[in-house]
Amino acid sequence: MAKPTVFHIPVCPFCQRLEILLELKGRRDEVDFHVVDITQPRPQWLLDKTRGTTALPVLETSDGRILKESLVILQYLEDVHVEPPVAQRDPYRRAVEGMLVRMEGDFTTQGYRFLMNQDPDRRAALEQAMLEQYGRLGDFLAEHAPAGPFLFEAFGWAEVVFTPMFMRFWFLEYYEGFALPDAPRFGRVREWVDACLAHPSTQQVGKEQIVKLYYDYAKGAGNGALLPGRSRSSFAFEPDWRSRPWPPSDKYEHSATDQELGL
Amino acid sequence: MAKPTVFHIPVCPFCQRLEILLELKGRRDEVDFHVVDITQPRPQWLLDKTRGTTALPVLETSDGRILKESLVILQYLEDVHVEPPVAQRDPYRRAVEGMLVRMEGDFTTQGYRFLMNQDPDRRAALEQAMLEQYGRLGDFLAEHAPAGPFLFEAFGWAEVVFTPMFMRFWFLEYYEGFALPDAPRFGRVREWVDACLAHPSTQQVGKEQIVKLYYDYAKGAGNGALLPGRSRSSFAFEPDWRSRPWPPSDKYEHSATDQELGL
């Protein structure tokens, strides 16, 4: 029987969730990963499979059925590959995990909004709102998992969901100078973030790759869209990101050319 | 052992989900429902339990632990009361159910945005966007469950999640004259909505109650907030909604007084 196939964008955080889960289960080789170039129009054969939607990741099962939405696919993989369990099984623990995972949507939205902002006058308010998001995560962990570093004994479901975002938010560090203050409210969440970033299951991408590929997002252009005066997206596969220089970090003052970005 | 307690607002759609699920499981009597008056500030004892958050429903377990978020509580009840199952157990079916449930957020947001709009010039675009939401649900059902009326053999998890919204959207029928067109794209979703509304497990509220209580939402004031010139919210417990007249439906032309609303 054919392996299931995941259609994904290499640096996409939602796609990375699936890789982390499979890594934790020791099943990375049982799923084929097919890379999609976000800077090109989606190929027709892929649109046929998805019935026209363009969001990724998408999983095609061995018998050709299509699943969408990273959390749905994640649960499917958890259900198909039961051992070792990554999600909690006890009803109360599962609910605690569920409450934390429900906080991810606002967290992610806020981070991308901050990164994509082009108005220096809005910067301070966006930074404050981002801190509040981290603060809420910290409050939740302090209530439900004061001992740390993870929500439960080991890196689990909530960590699979959040870690790709913690990694993407390296772009806030680079382009916005964002950092968690050295204040008591942020101690517990900092411990969590650090433990997630260091976990061996999460090393599919690194800071340099994320900072370079997300340059266009920092300038307000998402999903592989082209900025004025540019002929290539920072998400382009070629030239490889390793061969490009680090982009200028002063996003509010300067718009880099293709050449400056090594594209 | 004490029963678990749900703190809820009687007409709140997120709270109704829990009632429907318990009804389907024949467990309605095993949970105490404690009514919270949305027109009054939250009592301190409740804020102490929730650590300051005001969103409902909240479930307090028999041993005093607090769970928030309707979908989290729903899953907890499903896990604690395993029989009869309401959610799908097969991984693929569960994923299909999950994909449909993921569509509920945008659907709900769009419905409330339409209801709360006060600008007649935006009405047509909001109606169109609402139709598009129903259209997407219909497309999904046509793909995954063409035979109908439900997503699977019986009224299940997706129906528990959506039915309270279908009922709330009676307010769109009344205040916006909204109706699904008699067009092929809407046939399958209409069949679903009708079957959900008619199901015996979903009869906790009715159209008259919803239309009367949500008058202030139709005028742009949510969550029990007071409109200018009014001294009582349409969500007030007294006078009972049964004794009040039907509100005027011309929301763009007229602002009803307490007296006209029978408050």
Side-chain angles (χ1 to χ4, degrees), chain A residues 23-215:
Chain A
E23 196 69 42
L24 289 169
K25 290 184 177 287
R27 303 267 186 177
R28 181 64 178 73
D29 293 341
E30 292 181 34
V31 174
D32 279 331
F33 279 78
H34 183 104
V35 168
V36 176
D37 185 346
I38 193 182
T39 69
Q40 304 296 325
R42 296 277 186 278
Q44 191 57 47
W45 58 262
L46 183 56
L47 293 171
D48 290 344
K49 285 184 195 293
T50 63
R51 300 198 172 209
T53 63
T54 57
L56 297 175
V58 162
L59 181 138
E60 182 171 13
T61 64
S62 308
D63 54 353
R65 295 183 290 186
I66 295 292
L67 299 178
K68 304 176 188 181
E69 294 284 346
S70 73
L71 293 181
V72 169
I73 300 172
L74 215 53
Q75 186 68 57
Y76 175 78
L77 294 172
E78 174 79 359
D79 291 343
V80 168
H81 302 301
V82 177
E83 296 297 334
V86 173
Q88 295 296 313
R89 295 287 189 263
D90 167 74
Y92 175 73
R93 285 172 156 240
R94 185 180 190 187
V96 170
E97 192 169 72
M99 287 191 284
L100 184 51
V101 167
R102 297 282 298 177
M103 298 168 78
E104 178 271 327
D106 287 348
F107 179 77
T108 298
T109 301
Q110 194 58 51
Y112 278 77
R113 189 179 291 147
F114 189 12
L115 178 70
M116 295 181 77
N117 171 52
Q118 301 304 305
D119 179 358
D121 293 340
R122 291 186 59 217
R123 216 203 139 274
L126 286 164
E127 180 175 37
Q128 205 47 52
M130 193 73 243
L131 284 175
E132 178 56 26
Q133 290 292 331
Y134 278 99
R136 282 181 205 170
L137 296 180
D139 297 345
F140 187 92
L141 292 165
E143 177 181 353
H144 293 283
F150 300 118
L151 177 59
F152 294 108
E153 294 75 12
F155 185 101
W157 188 260
E159 287 80 16
V160 171
V161 171
F162 274 95
T163 303
M165 293 308 159
F166 297 152
M167 293 184 149
R168 296 312 166 286
F169 290 3
W170 279 322
F171 53 49
L172 297 177
E173 198 179 308
Y174 189 81
Y175 294 111
E176 297 288 353
F178 179 79
L180 287 180
D182 192 11
R185 189 181 183 198
F186 300 103
R188 180 63 188 89
V189 69
R190 184 201 309 276
E191 178 193 37
W192 191 43
V193 171
D194 289 347
C196 288
L197 294 178
H199 197 270
S201 70
T202 66
Q203 307 305 308
Q204 294 83 4
V205 292
K207 181 171 173 176
E208 183 178 349
Q209 183 179 7
I210 285 172
V211 165
K212 289 179 177 177
L213 268 63
Y214 279 86
Y215 179 75

Side-chain angles (χ1 to χ4, degrees), chain B residues 205-224:
Chain B
V205 292
K207 180 170 173 177
E208 184 177 350
Q209 182 181 8
I210 285 171
V211 165
K212 289 179 176 177
L213 268 63
Y214 279 86
Y215 179 75
D216 292 358
Y217 265 91
K219 295 295 295 179
N223 286 318

Side-chain angles (χ1 to χ4, degrees), chain A residues 8-16 19 35-36 38 112 164 168 204-206 209-211 213-214 217 234-235 237 241:
Chain A
H8 78 133
I9 302 159
V11 83
C12 157
F14 306 104
C15 303
Q16 194 192 358
E19 296 186 83
V35 168
V36 176
I38 193 182
Y112 278 77
R168 296 312 166 286
Q204 294 83 4
V205 292
Q209 183 179 7
I210 285 172
V211 165
L213 268 63
Y214 279 86
Y217 265 90
S234 60
F235 276 97
F237 288 172
W241 58 269

Side-chain angles (χ1 to χ4, degrees), chain A residues 174-175 212 215-216 219 229-230 232 234 239 241 243-250 253-263:
Chain A
Y174 189 81
Y175 294 111
K212 289 179 177 177
Y215 179 75
D216 292 357
K219 295 294 295 180
R230 293 270 304 286
R232 294 181 73 88
S234 60
W241 58 269
S243 69
R244 307 183 208 165
W246 286 75
S249 64
D250 55 342
E253 280 91 52
H254 180 70
S255 295
T257 61
D258 288 349
Q259 197 177 6
E260 283 175 85
L261 296 169
L263 287 167

Side-chain angles (χ1 to χ4, degrees), chain B residues 70-222:
Chain B
S70 72
L71 293 182
V72 170
I73 300 172
L74 215 53
Q75 187 68 56
Y76 175 78
L77 293 172
E78 174 79 358
D79 292 342
V80 169
H81 303 300
V82 177
E83 295 297 334
V86 173
Q88 295 296 313
R89 296 288 188 261
D90 167 75
Y92 177 73
R93 286 173 155 239
R94 185 181 190 187
V96 170
E97 192 170 70
M99 287 191 283
L100 184 52
V101 166
R102 297 281 300 177
M103 299 168 77
E104 177 271 329
D106 287 348
F107 179 78
T108 297
T109 301
Q110 194 58 49
Y112 278 77
R113 189 178 290 147
F114 189 11
L115 177 71
M116 295 180 77
N117 171 52
Q118 302 303 303
D119 178 358
D121 293 340
R122 291 186 57 217
R123 214 203 139 273
L126 287 164
E127 181 175 36
Q128 205 46 51
M130 192 74 244
L131 284 176
E132 178 56 26
Q133 289 292 331
Y134 278 99
R136 282 180 206 172
L137 296 180
D139 297 344
F140 187 92
L141 292 165
E143 177 181 353
H144 293 283
F150 300 118
L151 178 60
F152 294 109
E153 294 76 9
F155 185 102
W157 188 260
E159 287 79 17
V160 171
V161 170
F162 273 94
T163 304
M165 292 308 157
F166 297 152
M167 293 183 149
R168 295 312 166 286
F169 291 3
W170 280 322
F171 54 49
L172 296 177
E173 198 180 308
Y174 189 80
Y175 294 112
E176 297 289 354
F178 179 80
L180 287 180
D182 192 11
R185 190 181 182 198
F186 300 104
R188 180 64 188 88
V189 68
R190 185 202 308 277
E191 179 193 37
W192 192 42
V193 171
D194 289 347
C196 288
L197 295 177
H199 197 270
S201 71
T202 66
Q203 307 304 309
Q204 294 84 4
V205 292
K207 180 170 173 177
E208 184 177 350
Q209 182 181 8
I210 285 171
V211 165
K212 289 179 176 177
L213 268 63
Y214 279 86
Y215 179 75
D216 292 358
Y217 265 91
K219 295 295 295 179

